[in-house]
Amino acid sequence: MRPTALIGMLALGLALGSIVLGHLLLVPGLQADTTLVDANLARALAQPLSLRTAELALAACVVLTAVAKHWLRHNAGTTLALLATGIAAIDRLGVLPRAHEAWSRVDLVAMRPQARIDGAEQLWMVHEATLAALTVVLIALAGFASLDKRTTK
C-alpha cells in the first residue's frame, strides 16, 4: 500500500469519525444530559468539544486535499476533497462560532428571549446542514477510494 493511500484513508476515517462520534453522539448526549446540570451549563460544556471535533474534521479534510491527487485517480476526487475542506472551514470558522455565541445569549432554563432562541436554532440547523453536506462529500470520496485502479484504466 502506498503511503499516500494510507494517509488518505486515515484522514478520511478521522474526518468521518469526528463527525459521527463528536457531532452526532457526544455533543448531543452532553447537551441533553440535564440531570446533574442545568441546560445552560450543559450547552456551555459541550461548546469546546464541538469546536475541537470541527477542528479535527477540518484538519483531516486539509490532509485529504493534500493527498487526493496522488491517492485517487479521478480528478473528481481532488475536487471533492477541496469541497470538503471548504465546507469544513465554513462550518468551523463561520457557522459554529456564531451558533455558540447565539446560544450563549439565551436562557434555556427560562426559555427566554424567544426571538434569540429562534435565531440560535436557525444557526444550529445551518450547522447541521453543513455537517450533512460534509458527510455526503466524504462518503463520495470513500466511494472513489474504493474503486479498484486496475478496473478504471
Side-chain angles (χ1 to χ4, degrees):
M1 179 178 288
R2 293 176 304 158
T4 55
L6 181 63
I7 292 170
M9 286 189 283
L10 287 173
L12 186 62
L14 178 63
L16 285 171
S18 69
I19 292 170
V20 171
L21 188 63
H23 289 288
L24 298 179
L25 294 175
L26 293 178
V27 171
L30 188 59
Q31 289 173 349
D33 187 18
T34 58
T35 55
L36 299 176
V37 295
D38 70 345
N40 296 320
L41 183 58
R43 186 162 289 277
L45 290 173
Q47 178 182 354
L49 180 63
S50 176
L51 292 172
R52 294 309 159 259
T53 54
E55 287 170 359
L56 282 174
L58 177 58
C61 288
V62 168
V63 171
L64 274 174
T65 302
V67 300
K69 184 175 182 178
H70 301 289
W71 176 37
L72 304 170
R73 285 180 95 59
H74 304 283
N75 289 335
T78 305
T79 304
L80 286 174
L82 282 169
L83 182 62
T85 301
I87 293 170
I90 287 170
D91 185 49
R92 170 56 185 97
L93 302 174
V95 175
L96 205 53
R98 288 188 179 130
H100 285 302
E101 195 251 326
W103 280 115
S104 70
R105 296 182 179 269
V106 300
D107 185 3
L108 293 172
V109 176
M111 294 303 287
R112 291 189 186 168
Q114 189 60 42
R116 287 189 181 169
I117 290 174
D118 293 340
E121 285 176 347
Q122 287 177 351
L123 281 171
W124 199 254
M125 290 291 288
V126 170
H127 164 66
E128 289 175 350
T130 58
L131 282 181
L134 181 59
T135 303
V136 167
V137 171
L138 290 173
I139 289 173
L141 269 171
F144 277 118
S146 69
L147 292 175
D148 187 14
K149 292 186 178 187
R150 286 171 275 155
T151 61
T152 58
K153 285 186 178 180

